[in-house]
Amino acid sequence: MTQRPTPVRSSTQQADDEGAKKPRILIVDDEPSMRDVLRIVLRRDGYDVVVAENGNQAIAILQQQPIDLLLSDIRMPDISGVEVLRTAKTVNRDIVAFMMTAFASTDTAVEAMRLGAVDYFTKPFSMDELRFKVRQHLEASRLRQENVLLKRALNTSYSFSNIIGRSEAMLGVFKMIETIARTSSTVLITGESGTGKDMVARAVHYNSLRRDHPFVALNCGAVPETLLESELFGHMRGAFTGADTNKKGLIEVAERGTIFLDEIGEMNATMQVKLLRVLQDRRYRRLGGTEEVEADIRIIAATNQDLPKLVTDGRFREDLFYRLNVIPIQLPPLRDRPEDIPLLAEHFLGKYATQMEKPVRTISHAAQELLTAYAWPGNVRELENAIERAVALEQTPAILPESLPAHLPSGPGSVPRPTSMAVTMSSDRAEGGLPDLGEGFDLEARGEEFYRHYIALALERAGGVQTKAAELLGMSFRSFRYYAKKFNIR
Ligand SMILES: Nc1ncnc2c1ncn2[C@@H]1O[C@H](COP(=O)(O)OP(=O)(O)OP(=O)(O)O)[C@@H](O)[C@H]1O
Ligand SMILES: [Mg+2]
């Protein structure tokens, strides 16, 4: 096994170490020998232990001091353990409760579970089993409480228009969005695929004075070059074959609002000139039209490419670059802001657990460590997919390492290796066709993995020559470049 380096620790972990408080356990049993054994064993395990000889005493204690875990006999001379449990739950809804019974009387045990006990032990029981379960449930309860605190923190300062982050870079982005809210300045958002460029573009619009007007997005890399001009500027009837009506362009649709030009680096030279014109004069001409139209729009552009480099290579106009780069917003890759990972993971956990109505509440420490140590080449999008998948697969209240994608444990700086992907795919096939559909299956994530794998493989076979790799895959060079960039494969 490879050695995993120490992961970045979350702030909640640090807080724990500083003020660690012993969990307090209340033992209730009318049998003195049972009380003694449990008290000795649990104290030795490091808990703060309180004992009661009967139900009334127990209720008095529960009302006086904070108890984290209740371990109560069911049959007692005065009042029953079930009554004790009922009181315990009214005092503290989150108390962890175990019942003990000398008789295998499932009826009362079931009633106790219905009232919120997590488990019951039939006497005589194994002390080791009890110790194990006590530890396990107290740990889960602690994680749940941490999660609540974390969510509270999120609501205060680590979230802006649903964008989550506590790293200095992200706090800077939030500040910038606020600062430019009252302006109409052009914004250029840069960052690797999956870093949140789309989200930031929307946040700029919805926090601006233009928020009541449309936000229109156009992916310049996805629209065929021949259609881009009419998409953007619209056309007049008869402008070209097939143009049998007048059509509004997106700039017109976005009037008084914002137009988001995604993948701006994909725009060809002719379109670059036309866009420059809009930026300079705020005027444009529809395709086939004679009159000039005024454009009252804010332009936000985004790219995952290195635009200055494209300028140097002569593939992007320098004047257009400067016109776009009025307010630059750079989104750092997730690997450069690991302190955002726990927050993001908790955020996605909450989102998907609610959406799928699954009782998954926390991320186990082991899983958390894997998440923070991984390099996330697909950035926040990849993290979101991983958590969504884990929530779908998880059968316990906490996400365990087993539910995370198999390529995660390989440590920092690592990216999923194409070879391991090939193994997964062929073994899927060996088991008889395609993998099982149903809960946890995610076609989009699978599809992305598949593309990622073959793009990397073809590039390797082609010795890094992109045109050759595209040919090997039977796709156009343009599509190839689009995907290679999207998945950040060089
Ligand atoms: N800081 C964040 N907080 C919450 N969710 C985020 C954050 N950043 C990204 N996401 C989520 O990750 C996914 C990818 O984000 P987005 O589409 O904005 O990335 P992008 O930079 O535009 O990627 P691409 O270059 O591939 O278009 C989305 O589902 C988005 O909701
Ligand atoms: Mg995007």
Side-chain angles (χ1 to χ4, degrees):
M1 247 189 61
T2 45
Q3 185 86 24
R4 202 174 298 126
T6 324
V8 175
R9 293 152 58 85
S10 74
S11 59
T12 46
Q13 266 172 297
Q14 280 156 7
D16 256 356
D17 293 349
E18 280 155 21
K21 216 172 69 218
K22 283 187 195 174
R24 186 173 297 167
I25 299 179
L26 171 61
I27 298 166
V28 194
D29 204 317
D30 56 321
E31 223 181 290
S33 60
M34 196 65 199
R35 283 199 306 268
D36 289 345
V37 172
L38 288 170
R39 192 186 54 224
I40 293 165
V41 168
L42 293 172
R43 273 213 182 128
R44 210 174 42 207
D45 280 351
Y47 304 113
D48 195 350
V49 181
V50 192
V51 291
E53 295 173 15
N54 55 49
N56 281 316
Q57 233 180 50
I59 287 175
I61 292 174
L62 282 164
Q63 284 164 343
Q64 279 158 17
Q65 38 180 304
I67 301 292
D68 299 298
L69 185 143
L70 169 74
L71 181 56
S72 175
D73 192 18
I74 291 187
R75 286 207 175 194
M76 287 179 294
D78 58 344
I79 54 174
S80 96
V82 176
E83 278 316 304
V84 175
L85 171 65
R86 214 190 293 274
T87 310
K89 282 281 166 186
T90 24
V91 178
N92 170 12
R93 200 166 45 94
D94 298 325
I95 196 166
V96 179
F98 288 98
M99 308 309 280
M100 300 178 282
T101 170
F103 311 91
S105 135
T106 29
D107 283 358
T108 21
V110 166
E111 195 195 339
M113 303 280 272
R114 201 163 37 229
L115 284 172
V118 291
D119 212 338
Y120 64 93
F121 301 99
T122 311
K123 293 177 186 172
F125 50 81
S126 137
M127 243 347 123
D128 282 343
E129 186 192 338
L130 178 131
R131 290 170 57 217
F132 173 76
K133 287 195 170 162
V134 162
R135 203 181 42 174
Q136 190 187 34
H137 283 277
L138 280 174
E139 168 76 1
S141 149
R142 188 180 64 82
L143 288 171
R144 270 196 300 278
Q145 283 166 22
E146 259 184 39
N147 195 24
V148 170
L149 292 179
L150 215 71
K151 288 220 173 95
R152 214 169 289 152
L154 277 188
N155 290 339
T156 54
S157 53
Y158 299 144
S159 160
F160 188 96
S161 289
N162 273 331
I163 309 175
I164 312 295
R166 58 179 297 174
S167 58
E168 219 165 291
M170 289 311 290
L171 296 180
V173 170
F174 299 165
K175 193 134 195 69
M176 180 58 97
I177 297 172
E178 258 184 326
T179 312
I180 61 178
R182 308 193 74 83
T183 74
S184 268
S185 313
T186 306
V187 181
L188 177 63
I189 309 171
T190 50
E192 287 179 12
S193 183
T195 46
K197 298 185 292 297
D198 228 274
M199 281 196 103
V200 168
R202 279 164 214 276
V204 169
H205 173 74
Y206 288 107
N207 285 285
S208 79
L209 299 173
R210 296 175 171 264
R211 87 189 74 151
D212 295 328
H213 301 286
F215 173 88
V216 176
L218 175 68
N219 185 331
C220 306
V223 179
E225 285 179 2
T226 46
L227 289 186
L228 193 56
E229 185 176 357
S230 86
E231 271 298 301
L232 207 51
F233 301 127
H235 61 244
M236 305 307 287
R237 186 168 168 226
F240 50 86
T241 341
D244 38 22
T245 50
N246 291 347
K247 188 180 168 249
K248 272 191 184 180
L250 293 180
I251 290 190
E252 199 172 339
V253 175
E255 182 66 11
R256 304 182 65 195
T258 303
I259 186 154
F260 175 43
L261 301 175
D262 207 354
E263 316 248 3
I264 192 81
E266 295 295 318
M267 199 174 252
N268 71 16
T270 327
M271 280 306 293
Q272 287 181 29
V273 179
K274 296 197 167 163
L275 180 61
L276 183 67
R277 180 83 218 289
V278 179
L279 281 162
Q280 272 169 351
D281 309 335
R282 301 280 152 183
R283 305 178 77 79
Y284 66 97
R285 206 184 288 248
R286 299 187 186 100
L287 207 62
T290 45
E291 54 173 322
E292 295 247 305
V293 192
E294 266 192 54
D296 176 5
I297 44 162
R298 166 183 239 162
I299 297 179
I300 303 179
T303 180
N304 53 16
Q305 305 195 57
D306 184 352
L307 273 194
K309 171 132 197 319
L310 292 189
V311 170
T312 317
D313 295 349
R315 284 168 48 207
F316 201 84
R317 292 184 67 102
E318 190 169 16
D319 44 7
L320 178 58
F321 172 69
Y322 288 121
R323 290 268 177 199
L324 289 173
N325 201 31
V326 181
I327 312 276
I329 298 185
Q330 269 172 22
L331 295 175
L334 193 53
R335 62 181 169 280
D336 290 350
R337 44 181 168 116
E339 64 271 44
D340 287 347
I341 295 175
L343 280 190
L344 283 163
E346 292 286 347
H347 168 73
F348 294 133
L349 169 64
K351 173 175 162 184
Y352 289 106
T354 311
Q355 211 173 76
M356 299 180 206
E357 296 183 6
K358 293 204 61 166
V360 190
R361 296 220 168 70
T362 56
I363 300 175
S364 70
H365 277 276
Q368 197 79 259
E369 285 183 8
L370 290 186
L371 293 177
T372 6
Y374 181 61
W376 301 107
N379 295 296
V380 185
R381 179 181 291 112
E382 189 185 2
L383 174 63
E384 178 168 1
N385 289 343
I387 300 292
E388 180 183 357
R389 176 178 177 275
V391 171
L393 293 179
E394 203 49 76
Q395 306 290 344
T396 66
I399 291 184
L400 304 172
E402 299 88 278
S403 306
L404 295 174
H407 59 257
L408 241 62
S410 28
S414 67
V415 292
R417 280 162 299 137
T419 42
S420 70
M421 188 56 214
V423 172
T424 330
M425 297 243 170
S426 57
S427 66
D428 278 340
R429 223 167 281 133
E431 279 159 30
L434 289 163
D436 258 358
L437 298 178
E439 220 183 329
F441 186 82
D442 179 344
L443 180 60
E444 270 180 40
R446 279 249 158 193
E448 277 200 14
E449 272 179 75
F450 196 82
Y451 266 75
R452 196 190 284 278
H453 165 63
Y454 278 102
I455 299 267
L457 188 69
L459 251 187
E460 199 180 301
R461 294 265 168 86
V465 184
Q466 297 196 24
T467 42
K468 180 104 184 292
E471 213 176 285
L472 285 175
L473 294 168
M475 59 166 50
S476 72
F477 175 57
R478 194 178 156 77
S479 302
F480 179 86
R481 245 192 10 206
Y482 171 76
Y483 286 113
K485 249 165 232 149
K486 178 166 167 147
F487 300 133
N488 210 18
I489 297 169
R490 280 164 223 279

